[in-house]
Amino acid sequence: MLDKCRIIDFPRISDPRGKLSFLESRNHIPFDIRRIYYLYDVPSGSRRGAHAHKNLHQLIIAMSGSFDVLLDDGFEKKSLHLTHPFQGLYVCPLIWRVLENFSPGSVCLVLASELYDERDYYRDYDEFLSAVANKV
Ligand code: TYD
């Protein structure tokens, strides 16, 4: 499962006026975007996330500053450092994720495949592990 989570590079257009990146549903990311949310003014030392989704696909972008994303599929873990606004981390369903080490002033943009639905969350790690174990 962790292999499905990957960094996606967006097109970059640079000229003397500055840089522009863009992404299109299905062309650059493997889902249609139905929701956008963002984290900002994150206090130093704060941890966000610490949950998994049942069906939601997401793309996480460090629009400004940097932070770490810890990914865990119930078997393996990996940590990625996001710092470029021209890259996004695709996270498929059934991945426990924790976001931490936010730099001051950083902004984390998240593109999501579905509207907000609390029923789509695993917020308890043991419940997540049981769900993963039942799928294999
Ligand atoms: P939470 O899931 O705790 O954020 P994190 O990504 O750090 O785990 O969400 C914080 C609150 O915001 C919680 O009450 C749910 C609410 N929320 C929405 O209403 N809509 C959304 O799209 C999101 C992501 C969260």
Side-chain angles (χ1 to χ4, degrees):
M1 284 288 260
L2 268 192
D3 295 343
K4 289 189 186 168
C5 301
R6 64 187 193 279
I7 296 285
I8 297 174
D9 284 309
F10 311 133
R12 275 184 275 173
I13 299 173
S14 184
D15 68 32
R17 298 169 301 164
K19 294 178 175 141
L20 181 154
S21 283
F22 62 93
L23 61 108
E24 297 172 347
S25 294
R26 302 279 173 189
N27 277 343
H28 302 100
I29 61 170
F31 59 87
D32 290 324
I33 300 162
R34 296 198 68 203
R35 176 166 54 105
I36 296 171
Y37 67 93
Y38 39 96
L39 306 172
Y40 55 99
D41 284 348
V42 179
S44 172
S46 209
R47 296 179 106 213
R48 304 285 319 213
H51 62 248
H53 287 281
K54 297 173 185 174
N55 294 304
L56 193 72
H57 299 255
Q58 291 185 311
L59 190 91
I60 303 174
I61 306 173
M63 292 305 288
S64 184
S66 66
F67 49 84
D68 296 330
V69 186
L70 312 177
L71 300 176
D72 175 353
D73 65 2
F75 298 94
E76 290 180 83
K77 299 178 192 209
K78 72 177 172 189
S79 173
L80 294 112
H81 183 65
L82 296 188
T83 188
H84 298 301
F86 55 82
Q87 289 183 330
L89 172 61
Y90 167 67
V91 182
C92 64
L94 286 181
I95 301 289
W96 190 267
R97 91 288 312 273
V98 176
L99 285 71
E100 62 182 15
N101 295 328
F102 287 85
S103 68
S106 55
V107 178
C108 168
L109 181 74
V110 183
L111 312 180
S113 64
E114 301 296 338
L115 303 182
Y116 174 74
D117 182 357
E118 188 59 36
R119 293 168 300 180
D120 187 66
Y121 281 74
Y122 291 112
R123 291 195 184 271
D124 179 83
Y125 187 66
D126 290 334
E127 190 192 345
F128 161 70
L129 289 181
S130 301
V132 169
N134 285 334
K135 297 253 174 200
V136 292

